[in-house]
Each structure stands twice: as structure tokens, then as C-alpha cells.
Amino acid sequence: MAESLSVRRHRLIYQILRPAVRLYLRHAFNFVPPPLIEDEAPFLVVCNHVTDLGMLYFDCSFRTPMYFIASEHTMRAGFASKLLDWCFAPIVRKKATVAAATALEAKRRVKDGHSIGLFGEGERSSDGVNRPVIDSTGSLARMLNCRLYTMRLHGGYFSSPRWGKGIRRGQLTLELVNTYEPQTLRAMKGEEITAILNRDIYVDAYADNEETPIAFYGKKPAEGIEHALLACPRCGALNSINSQGNHFGCHCGMNGRYDEFGLLHGIGFSFSTITQWSAWAAEHIAALPETEENTILCHDEDQVLREIFPDHTAKITDTGTLILTRDVLSVGSTRLPLDKMETIDIIGHGFLLVNMRDGR
């Protein structure tokens, strides 16, 4: 089958950009790529999700270009999104899901002889440890009926933490973990493949750095850490931590420092890693006493609520104070019942994304 003009364009752009991207990643992040993998399309590559630049690391490791499954929010950046679509034509999905339409589009591209890249968890790690792979990923890998590569990106969490600002230069490596032939995948159930993916792409950033210590240097490395440290262990307050430079603290007197190895030091807490702190905070929040129906758990003034439409445009539907109670999240006069939500997540810094069960 003759390649279309768009496919030839994507292939040419890939061939032109890959040497420059490899050079950039080596210089900016001290990225050490694996030996270039030579394989004919189609194939599927699944890797852990720890940085927004993950697709660039993929592209530096395979000679054959890939089409990536990307979150819907990447298509809401105006001209930049149009350029991304023109150059690389990503397969768009709702965040943290692999919906039927996404799977069918991936199947179509594999049938046309193209390779697919995706990040199994669908969401970046916020504490240094992988989130579980999306349940339907194993079934997708089986349905695509092509060779499967599993990979781990090491060092990505500390170089560009989800909660942080800017980049930190240390060292990143991409590891090829396993290769699975299509006949092997056909003999397995979707949930069995998902379990394999959870095993193969699992990375504990702190365990990695304990085994082989690597320093990651950057400007103001602690700023934004309050997006990960959700509660203060000294006073128990939620949303009370602030950060500046390489320090963070709470009004109760708890204060700490984030060092170049990602470790925490200070008074008012006993945790040395964000993973430990996050695990405690989850237990602390779960153990909070039941509140009355209209008790305000937290609020934030001057917020804007936008509804996202299928063409990736967004329209302001309400403004005002964001209020969370036991049962409802509201902005202005718009009420979003928690039991009607399908997923809820943070994009970047300060953008809350809610997918409702009715499709909104």
C-alpha cells in the first residue's frame, strides 16, 4: 500500500528531528539512550509515565517512527496543538482512559503498518512510584496483534517532577525490559497482559536513586512541592504547605528542605521521601472524621469552570469560588456531584480535570 502524503510527512519530520532531539536530550537532561532498536513496523511500545517529554525518549530509541496515544488536553493549546497534529498526528484519548474510539484508531493504524507508543498508567507519577496501568491496556495490546516492547525510563521523576517547576539535570536512562511476540499475547487474557505491564514498567524512583545515587540540580527545586505534600504531619492541616527555593513549610512551624537527591530534611516530620509522605497523607485524609453534608472541606476563590467539547474547544460555563463538600464539588452556582464523576485529576499546575459519567 502506497504511503499517504501525511504519513510521508510524518516520517520525514521524524527522520529530520531525531538527531537534533537526541542531542538536546543529552545536553539538557544527560540522557543515555539504549542501543538503537531496529525493527519493522508495526509494533507497540509501553513505558512508564514520569515526564511530559516521554515521547522524545521513545523516538531516540527506535529507528521506526511511532504514533503516540496522547491525552486530550494536549490538543487544547491552540496553534501548538495544530502543529503537533500536523507533524505527528497523535491518537487522542480522555485522560486516564483507553476508550473504545481510541483503541479502534490504534487498531486502524497498526493495520496500516504503523507502530504505536503509549504510557501505561495514563498519568504521570506524583510521588515517584508508578500508578497502576490502565485496566484496558492489556486488552488493547492483545487486540493490536503486533510485537510488544516494554520499557522503563529511569531518572525522569527527579528530572521533571509532576509537581515541580522547571527541569533538573541529573541522568536519565531508558531500559528495554521485555519483548513479546503477538502469538504469545494472543494466548493470554487482557488482565494477564496488564499484570505483565504493571511488572515490566514499574519504577520506584527513590529505590533507583538509593541503589545508584544521582544528583539532580535545578533552580528552586522545592517550588510546587505542596502539590504532592497534601497535608502537614505536624498539625494535620490540609492545603497548608508553601514552598520557596529549596525549602517548604507550614504555618504551624513545620519546615523542611528538598535536596539534590530528592530527599526531605527538616523538623516536624519523619519522612525522607515524597513517597513516604504521600502514603501517610492518603491514610490521614481517609481517616478524617465524617462531615456534615454542607461542611466546606476546602475552597479557592476566583476560579473558572470550562466545559471541553469533542472538537477540543473549551467554553467558560461558570466562575466564582470553588468549594468542596462531602458530596459535591462546585464552582459558582454549578454543582458537580462526586458520585457522578468518572475520573478526576490534576493537569500541570492548578488545572483540575473532571470527567463526568454522562460524558461531559
Side-chain angles (χ1 to χ4, degrees):
M1 180 185 296
E3 286 186 340
S4 66
L5 287 175
S6 60
V7 170
R8 289 203 293 269
R9 179 176 71 242
H10 301 153
R11 188 179 297 277
L12 179 62
I13 291 172
Y14 178 86
Q15 292 171 345
I16 292 172
L17 290 183
R18 185 159 60 86
V21 169
R22 285 174 69 97
L23 185 62
Y24 165 72
L25 294 178
R26 282 180 181 274
H27 174 74
F29 295 95
N30 193 21
F31 173 56
V32 181
L36 196 63
I37 298 171
E38 304 273 2
D39 196 4
E40 294 295 323
F43 53 80
L44 170 67
V45 185
V46 180
C47 186
N48 57 313
H49 195 12
V50 287
T51 169
D52 284 337
L53 299 179
M55 63 176 289
L56 300 183
Y57 297 104
F58 272 31
D59 286 338
C60 286
S61 305
F62 287 83
R63 191 174 295 280
T64 304
M66 282 174 275
Y67 289 98
F68 286 87
I69 296 179
S71 296
E72 186 277 338
H73 76 275
T74 61
M75 305 310 295
R76 284 187 274 116
F79 176 77
S81 293
K82 293 179 180 178
L83 183 62
L84 176 69
D85 189 48
W86 187 82
C87 291
F88 304 108
I91 302 168
V92 179
R93 62 159 175 80
K94 280 189 175 181
K95 194 167 179 64
T97 68
V98 178
T102 304
L104 290 174
E105 176 61 18
K107 177 68 173 178
R108 184 188 69 80
R109 298 203 192 186
V110 167
K111 186 177 179 180
D112 289 342
H114 307 305
S115 297
I116 304 294
L118 68 86
F119 302 99
E121 315 95 292
E123 302 176 49
R124 291 174 62 188
S125 170
S126 58
D127 62 3
V129 176
N130 289 36
R131 294 189 177 193
V133 169
I134 298 169
D135 289 340
S136 55
T137 307
S139 296
L140 173 67
R142 187 176 187 275
M143 182 188 75
L144 293 181
N145 195 31
C146 61
R147 183 175 290 114
L148 166 66
Y149 291 99
T150 55
M151 308 192 81
R152 294 184 189 134
L153 182 62
H154 299 276
Y157 177 74
F158 292 124
S159 72
S160 179
R162 181 178 182 179
W163 49 264
K165 300 178 181 179
I167 61 175
R168 302 97 193 278
R169 195 174 191 277
Q171 185 180 80
L172 280 83
T173 57
L174 187 61
E175 171 193 5
L176 174 61
V177 182
N178 273 312
T179 306
Y180 301 93
E181 297 301 324
Q183 57 268 29
T184 302
L185 301 177
R186 285 197 300 270
M188 303 172 68
K189 296 180 179 179
E191 55 266 30
E192 293 175 314
I193 301 173
T194 298
I196 285 174
L197 293 174
N198 273 311
R199 179 198 67 199
D200 280 8
I201 71 171
Y202 179 82
V203 172
D204 180 333
Y206 281 101
D208 267 9
N209 227 32
E210 184 176 1
E211 182 177 342
T212 307
I214 297 173
F216 289 81
Y217 296 99
K219 298 179 179 179
K220 303 178 180 180
E223 292 198 2
I225 202 169
E226 62 270 18
H227 293 291
L229 311 182
L230 303 180
C232 174
R234 182 170 186 174
C235 67
L238 306 181
N239 195 32
S240 64
I241 296 174
N242 293 293
S243 58
Q244 185 175 10
N246 63 348
H247 288 83
F248 58 90
C250 174
H251 54 71
C252 71
M254 181 279 292
N255 67 80
R257 178 176 61 87
Y258 179 87
D259 73 13
E260 63 271 19
F261 296 97
L263 297 173
L264 310 177
H265 312 269
I267 60 173
F269 60 90
S270 59
F271 314 115
S272 60
T273 71
I274 293 176
T275 310
Q276 295 167 353
W277 192 309
S278 296
W280 167 81
E283 293 179 357
H284 172 70
I285 292 170
L288 290 174
E290 186 74 8
T291 61
E292 296 295 328
E293 180 178 355
N294 295 319
T295 300
I296 295 177
L297 300 176
C298 62
H299 69 282
D300 205 346
E301 297 179 352
D302 300 323
Q303 299 302 301
V304 178
L305 179 66
R306 293 178 174 86
E307 184 171 355
I308 303 164
F309 297 97
D311 63 355
H312 310 302
T313 59
K315 178 182 177 182
I316 295 177
T317 58
D318 215 331
T319 59
T321 301
L322 179 148
I323 295 175
L324 176 66
T325 65
R326 185 187 67 188
D327 302 316
V328 175
L329 177 72
S330 63
V331 177
S333 60
T334 302
R335 293 166 53 85
L336 305 175
L338 302 189
D339 62 359
K340 301 296 184 183
M341 295 180 183
E342 181 180 14
T343 62
I344 186 167
D345 194 36
I346 298 288
I347 297 175
H349 297 103
F351 291 90
L352 188 68
L353 176 66
V354 178
N355 287 314
M356 304 300 290
R357 296 187 187 279
D358 63 8
R360 290 180 296 160

